[in-house]
Structure formats: C-alpha cells, structure tokens
Amino acid sequence: MTLQVLSRGANAPLSPTVSRIRVVVAWADDSVDVDASALLLSDAGKVRSDEDFVFYNQPVAADGSVQHLGRAAGDSGAEERLSLDLEEIHPSVHCVAVTASVSDATFGDLGALRFTVVDEAGTPLVGFDITEATSETAFVFGEVYRRDGGWKVRAVGQGWDDGLAGLATDFGVSVADDPASDAADAAGAVAQDPTSSVVVESDLGATEEDLVEVVERPVPESVDTLVPEPPVDPLTPGQAPAPDRTADLSSGAVPRRAAGVRTKKQKPVVAAPVPRLAGEDTWVPARLFSIYGVGAGEEQEKRATSALLATMMGVRPFARAVSAHLGAPAGAVETFLEVPFVLGERRVVPDGMIRVARGGKVWTALVEVKTGTGQLRKEQVESYLDAARENGYDAVVTISNEIAPGTGEHPVTVDQRKLRGVALFHLSWAEVLHEARMVLTHRGVADSMQAWVLHELIRYLEHPRSGATGFDDMGAGWVTVREAVAAGTLRAGDRKVPTVADSWTRLVRQLCLRLTAELGVPVTHVLPRRLATDPAARTQAAVEQLAADGTLQATLRVPGAAGPLLVVADLRTSRVRISASVPAPREGGPQRRISWILRQLKDAPDDTLVDVHYSGAASDTCERLGDVRESAAGLVSERSGDVVSFELTSVAPLGTKRSGVKGAFIPSVISTTETFYATVLQPVRAWVAPAPRLSGEGLGPELSTTAEEAEG
C-alpha cells in the first residue's frame, strides 16, 4: 500500500480489509514525555461515559477495542502508540479521536510532530505532519471515524493550552484530579520568576495581619508526585480487560464510573536494590561514591561536585527537580567538570557546567561549589558571571552549605551590573539533599538502577566527610547575642543581632526542607504578607522580637496536621518550646471534648503540657499529660463555658553552642520539633462534624423503616 499523506482537514478511507490498526504519535525531542490518548465519541461528539477515555491511567477501553500501548523509540525521536480493533468498537461509537498531551513543554518545542496510521503488519497507511504547533499542551492529532459502513481517517491538528484535563473536559470527560495537586499547581503559577519567593494564602486565620505561607520554588508538573491510589494491574496488548471493568454494551448500555478520571500521571516508587548474597553480615557493599580517602578543601569539593553532576546526568527526575530551581527548561541534561574559560588575561575554571537541550536551544549554567566551611567569595562569583555573559550562557549557580534566608535570595551580594543578561542562583547542600530524598522516596524514578544511583548520592552527601553538612552554624555573632539576651542588655540596634536573625530564618528553611522530605508534603513557613515578600522587614521584625523578649519564633504549617506548629527558641530561659493549637469539637460538654483530645494523646510523652482554652468567663486550665491520663478533672474549669481549643506543648533544653552536634543550638531546635511532631501532633486527627441526619418524620415509609432498622 502507498502511504497517503494528508493535509490539515483532509481525510482518507481505510481499506475494508483492514480490521486492526495502530495509531502512532511521533516527535523529535525524545527527552520530553508525550502521552497519547484516545476518546471514543458518540455522534454528538462527546464520550458516552468516562470509560471512553483511554490513556495512561486507564489504558484499555471497557470493551477492549482500544488500548494505550505506551512509548517506544522511533526512527528519529520517540513515539506513543495506540491500538484500535475496528470490528470490536461498539456501534454507538461514531469516532475515535486520537489526542496527545505534554506537561513539561509545549508541542511547539518538540519538532517533527507526526500522526501515522499503520496496519497490523506495520505498513504505513495514512500520515499527517503537524507544522503549526506553538503553545499548545494538548492536541487532537486526528480522528478515525465511521462513514458509509466503513472507516476513514481525518487529519485534525487542533490544540489546547490547558493540558490533558482541559481537552478531556471539552469532550465530556469528568476529571477528578486531587484538589491538593490543583492547589500546588496554582501556587506554581504564581512564580513566573524562578528567582522570586512564592507565597500562597494561609488558612490559619490571622486576626491582625494577613498571613501567607512561604513556599519553596514549586516543582514543575513534569516532576510527578505520587497519587495515593492502589496500583492498576497493567494490561499487555491483546489482553482482555478485567471482567469487572467490562460493561454489557449489547443494548447500547454505557459503562459507568462513580467519580470521574484522574489525569494526574502516576509514577510508582522504585526502591534501590539491596544486596542479598553477602556471606557474612560484616561484608561491606561496594559504593558508587566512596567516602574513603576524602580529604578536605579542593579534593572534597571535586568529589561532591562530580557525584552531584554525574547523578543529574544519570537520573533524569532528579536533574529536573534540581534544574527547576534554576529556571532551566525541561530537556536532555549533560554535565561537565572544570571547563576552563579565558577572561581577559585571566583563566577561570568553574567547578562544573550544566547544559540542558530543548527544542534546538541549549540552556547553560556555570557551577561553583563549596563544601565544609568554604565560603563563596564575591570576586569569584562575579568573574563567573562575566565568563557566562561573554559566552552567551544563561546562569551561574553556586552550591555551598550556606542557606539563603529566603527563596530566590543569594548569600553573596554582587554588583547588580554583573547580572545583566545572566541569572544568579544559589542552592544549599541541604536543598540538594532534600530534592534527592523527595525524588527517591516520594516522586519515584524510572528503574531500580536509577534508584540505586540516587540512594548512593544521598548516602554520600549525608556522610560528614562529604563536606555537605547543611546549615549548622549560627554565625560569629551568636555567642555575643546569646549572652546579651541572658544579661538583659541586648538592644535592637546592636550590630550583630541582624546576622543572628538571618541565621534563624535559614534554620527555619532547613527545618521546612527536612520535614518536607520526610513527610512528602510541602511544609511551609507562615508569615505576615509584608514580611514574606520583604527580606529587610522580615529581619527587622526578628531583631525587634529578640530584643523585646529574647525569643526567636516561627510558625510552620504541615498539610493534613491538626494544627500549625509554633517553634519558640527562648534564649533567656535556654528552653525550646514547640506547641500546636488544635480546635476542639463543636459538640458535647467540656468533659467530652477534653476526653476527645486525651484519647488521641495516649502515646504522647507524659511531660506534654495540655492547655484547655474556654469561651466566656471560664478560666483556661493547664496540666501535664501524665497527671490527667486517668482523670481529666484537673482540666475542667470551675466556671461554665465551652472548650474552644487545646494547646499542646513540649519544652526541652536549648543548645547554646553556635555549631556542632552535642549541646549546639541548631540540632536542639530541629530534634525537638521533629520529636514533638512525631509523638504529639502527628497522631491527632482534627475533629470533623458528622453529616446532618434526616429524622424519621422526614422519610417515606420504606426509608423510615430502613432508618429504624439501622438504629436498631
């Protein structure tokens, strides 16, 4: 057969002898994921039900006539394939629309878009080249439709800018994506500039000031997060769908779904392989990145740089997660070490280079790395900015143990003229480690070997000898400021107070990163709006609080937790206080409401403080949890009033040393916060009001009888 090449809008008949076909969607840039899908449409141009949408999360039509076969390598790029059994497609289906979507690019970026129909033997029958794609993220490539008792193919080439969910909705599919994911995408839409902080509205109910949550740069849609649903057994081509998914269509009946489809692409977590053939427990597995023989200074930096950049090149989801912080496009990543440049009469050699190829363009960043106590120097950073500008590169990236006070801020102040045409970014090793943990534990990678490579990087960076220690030093002014607070002589105008305030902000960022990586949800720092977007005002507010009452404070929000976390480091008493306010149930008396919270604290430490807040004239009460486990009488106020909320608090000694592990300030704050969350707040579930109930009088005779039986 001769391939018929169609132009947009044209059509061609399929031979009556052709009963099964494969539809191929091809593109040139194989570093980008394109997902093909099919919509089985009635003569009204809509799906009969959600079961008529065939895609990666629903790979087989209810009658088995259309299947999503997945991705394969093509002759000049990549391709996605669908199979259609024309004889098995139900008569009520008038047309099968062949569509595709992309989440981390636009179709205009991909190049060589082609729609091809082939027969069972792989012989091309009909082709259509798409050359007019621009900003679309979803496309109808073509249609296979009925006409005069046979089948024809039409070249469509119509695009959508709102992705797969938007396209599916327009064809009548009920999309039931996770609202939490939608909120995350909305937060991402705020950050048009990757160098700026992102704030989203807080629901913590500020009374005097508008509160927002400071969110780390959002991960792009291409870096998928896990959807907590049970896995679906994959169906291979030619395999019949499971019986319980198949509807009886003999009379035109339409398969039914309860609550729409999810277009969020699911990616399973793949665990790193564990050696099982060791003869003795003392055998040490071979390591990809060995810490043996690691020195300090230059050698330490070279090893850390090489381990990071090599992992980025080998584990694409991790590379995308890191490069998303840098404003880089999604694409094929290549990394290099110590690329030399001539700058005037000097020779400059940055530690590394990252290059990302996308749609015929190459994004390039120079990388400067510091480990241990190494500090970034202004003149060095500026020389790399000059080298990047002269060579037409896009960015300079610095990586060190310094954590910038806020997202998009840089720990080194450079001449603003150096930033013309070149972006400057900073990542702390804590942020790098955070992204590695998130990808491995929560987002998932392609296979077990990638999981092993990423696991080895995490193991290396977590070892003290790697030099990637994270934020562990409150700075040179810490001891002076702490002693002044204890003596009562600290004033807001003291020179060293702002540096301690900035260090506290860095510590809070590190705490949010650690909790996010452990919990798999975005833990955010809640601030008044005026402070979230103004670093100078934020520092000044912390300075004034420290001078006024000797405390450093932060409020953290954990999605799904019963209440926000308040972290207070009290330098006057050398105590760290972690607390959470939990709203009380809105039904029942004081005894019942107090019993509700105590039941949920059965495994919490005895020294946890339980404050009960009452409305009206009733006095608030407070007791140690260990003293009220048997009887809650000590928490019941002598005056009448409703219990409004509970405040749960843990108090622990505060480390005083500026750095280190034993007796240091930073680890004492982190460990106390994590322990409180795990043992006190995490087990508590927020109260949910029961659904309204119909009385028996409002029910018909049959329903009333049923209700009475249920009660009995």
Side-chain angles (χ1 to χ4, degrees):
M1 296 184 182
T2 303
L3 173 67
Q4 300 183 68
V5 179
L6 303 180
S7 58
R8 183 175 179 181
N11 63 75
L14 294 176
S15 170
T17 62
V18 175
S19 61
R20 294 188 179 187
I21 60 174
R22 287 204 316 271
V23 180
V24 180
V25 172
W27 66 100
D29 189 351
D30 61 1
S31 68
V32 178
D33 287 332
V34 176
D35 297 298
S37 52
L39 294 142
L40 283 65
L41 308 177
S42 67
D43 55 5
K46 301 286 186 180
V47 296
R48 301 166 302 160
S49 80
D50 294 339
E51 292 285 343
D52 286 340
F53 182 28
V54 178
F55 69 123
Y56 43 77
N57 282 345
Q58 191 168 273
V60 184
D63 58 7
S65 61
V66 179
Q67 297 187 33
H68 176 259
L69 303 182
R71 176 167 169 159
D75 294 335
S76 57
E79 59 186 38
E80 276 263 314
R81 300 165 299 160
L82 300 160
S83 71
L84 281 68
D85 189 336
L86 302 178
E87 293 181 346
E88 294 298 323
I89 296 177
H90 193 269
S92 61
V93 175
H94 173 72
C95 168
V96 178
V98 177
T99 67
S101 61
V102 60
S103 61
D104 57 352
T106 65
F107 279 100
D109 296 329
L110 302 183
L113 290 171
R114 187 173 181 83
F115 164 74
T116 308
V117 176
V118 303
D119 63 15
E120 284 187 284
T123 304
L125 305 176
V126 179
F128 169 41
D129 293 319
I130 297 176
T131 59
E132 301 175 358
T134 56
S135 62
E136 300 88 351
T137 55
F139 236 90
V140 176
F141 279 69
E143 296 174 340
V144 180
Y145 64 100
R146 298 181 189 272
R147 181 59 56 90
D148 298 331
W151 290 91
K152 300 184 77 173
V153 177
R154 177 184 294 118
V156 178
Q158 179 183 356
W160 276 254
D161 289 338
D162 48 0
L164 181 62
L167 180 150
T169 301
D170 285 353
F171 282 100
V173 177
S174 299
V175 175
D177 284 337
D178 186 358
S181 298
D182 297 339
D185 292 341
V190 176
Q192 299 299 323
D193 178 1
T195 68
S196 63
S197 297
V198 184
V199 296
V200 296
E201 298 296 333
S202 175
D203 57 4
L204 298 186
T207 54
E208 297 181 357
E209 294 191 271
D210 185 17
L211 295 183
V212 295
E213 297 171 35
V214 181
V215 183
E216 296 297 322
R217 299 181 189 88
V219 177
E221 293 179 3
S222 59
V223 182
D224 295 316
T225 54
L226 294 176
V227 180
E229 290 186 345
V232 179
D233 292 335
L235 294 174
T236 57
Q239 178 183 352
D244 62 350
R245 290 189 66 239
T246 306
D248 179 9
L249 301 179
S250 59
S251 60
V254 179
R256 303 171 68 182
R257 286 184 67 96
V261 299
R262 302 187 63 138
T263 63
K264 185 69 176 177
K265 195 169 185 180
Q266 302 179 39
K267 183 179 294 185
V269 169
V270 179
V274 178
R276 302 183 185 279
L277 303 179
E280 301 288 344
D281 293 340
T282 56
W283 291 13
V284 179
R287 297 301 182 187
L288 185 61
F289 308 117
S290 175
I291 53 90
Y292 291 112
V294 176
E298 185 176 353
E299 180 187 358
Q300 194 179 62
E301 290 176 3
K302 286 183 177 180
R303 287 215 195 182
T305 305
S306 181
L308 169 62
L309 297 184
T311 303
M312 288 181 64
M313 194 161 173
V315 184
R316 186 183 171 206
F318 174 62
R320 182 60 188 136
V322 172
S323 61
H325 286 265
L326 315 176
V333 176
E334 293 186 6
T335 56
F336 306 88
L337 292 174
E338 297 186 331
V339 179
F341 296 93
V342 176
L343 190 62
E345 297 180 355
R346 295 182 295 130
R347 184 172 180 267
V348 296
V349 184
D351 292 314
M353 175 188 287
I354 302 171
R355 307 203 85 180
V356 182
R358 174 65 175 278
K361 298 181 180 179
V362 178
W363 179 93
T364 305
L366 304 182
V367 181
E368 172 61 15
V369 174
K370 298 293 183 184
T371 56
T373 58
Q375 298 292 309
L376 296 166
R377 294 182 290 107
K378 175 182 177 180
E379 59 274 13
Q380 191 176 35
V381 175
E382 290 184 344
S383 68
Y384 294 149
L385 288 169
D386 291 338
R389 187 184 313 101
E390 287 192 7
N391 287 275
Y393 295 156
D394 301 274
V396 170
V397 182
T398 59
I399 302 173
S400 74
N401 285 318
E402 297 175 83
I403 293 184
T407 302
E409 299 175 34
H410 200 280
V412 176
T413 301
V414 300
D415 186 339
Q416 292 299 301
R417 293 171 295 181
K418 303 286 185 180
L419 299 176
R420 293 172 184 169
V422 182
L424 177 62
F425 298 97
H426 179 73
L427 290 175
S428 67
W429 282 113
E431 291 171 283
V432 172
L433 189 56
H434 160 79
E435 290 299 345
R437 288 170 175 156
M438 287 294 293
V439 171
L440 181 63
T441 308
H442 302 291
R443 300 184 192 130
V445 293
D447 55 51
S448 59
M449 282 299 99
Q450 287 194 10
W452 178 67
V453 170
L454 198 52
H455 176 270
E456 287 294 291
L457 176 69
I458 293 172
R459 176 191 169 278
Y460 179 81
L461 295 181
E462 287 179 337
H463 197 282
R465 291 169 63 182
S466 72
T469 57
F471 180 68
D472 65 351
D473 191 336
M474 288 297 290
W478 168 251
V479 174
T480 302
V481 170
R482 176 178 56 77
E483 291 177 347
V485 169
T489 60
L490 186 74
R491 298 296 179 265
D494 290 355
R495 267 185 320 110
K496 295 183 178 180
V497 183
T499 61
V500 171
D502 282 344
S503 294
W504 171 252
T505 304
R506 292 180 171 92
L507 171 55
V508 173
R509 282 196 67 199
Q510 175 154 296
L511 184 55
C512 289
L513 290 171
R514 284 176 60 98
L515 289 172
T516 297
E518 290 294 327
L519 301 174
V521 295
V523 178
T524 53
H525 184 192
V526 180
L527 286 168
R529 183 182 297 277
R530 64 183 180 84
L531 303 184
T533 55
D534 187 342
R538 181 179 62 226
T539 299
Q540 185 58 33
V543 166
E544 291 174 357
Q545 176 135 46
L546 186 57
D549 60 16
T551 65
L552 296 164
Q553 301 186 16
T555 300
L556 310 183
R557 181 180 182 275
V558 180
L565 279 168
L566 176 61
V567 182
V568 180
D570 192 332
L571 274 62
R572 289 182 178 175
T573 62
S574 293
R575 292 286 185 272
V576 56
R577 186 170 66 253
I578 315 297
S579 61
S581 179
V582 179
R586 293 193 297 273
E587 63 179 16
Q591 184 73 44
R592 182 178 176 183
R593 298 186 186 192
I594 293 171
S595 296
W596 171 83
I597 192 67
L598 293 181
R599 283 196 303 271
Q600 300 194 70
L601 297 174
K602 59 185 180 63
D603 296 323
D606 284 345
D607 60 359
T608 302
L609 301 180
V610 181
D611 280 88
V612 182
H613 299 295
Y614 288 84
S615 63
S619 300
D620 294 347
T621 58
C622 178
E623 295 288 346
R624 288 177 71 258
L625 178 60
D627 296 334
V628 291
R629 289 193 188 276
E630 300 299 327
S631 172
L635 292 173
V636 178
S637 178
E638 295 179 356
R639 297 184 180 182
S640 62
D642 290 331
V643 175
V644 177
S645 64
F646 304 99
E647 185 173 351
L648 311 175
T649 305
S650 287
V651 181
L654 183 66
T656 57
K657 295 180 180 178
R658 60 175 272 189
S659 62
V661 177
K662 187 176 182 180
F665 175 79
I666 293 173
S668 70
V669 173
I670 292 176
S671 63
T672 305
T673 304
E674 293 178 341
T675 300
F676 174 83
Y677 179 82
T679 61
V680 179
L681 185 58
Q682 180 175 286
V684 176
R685 294 291 174 264
W687 179 78
V688 178
R693 300 180 61 183
L694 287 171
S695 65
E697 296 177 358
L699 301 175
E702 294 183 2
L703 292 179
S704 180
T705 301
T706 303
E708 292 172 0
E709 292 173 351
E711 289 289 343

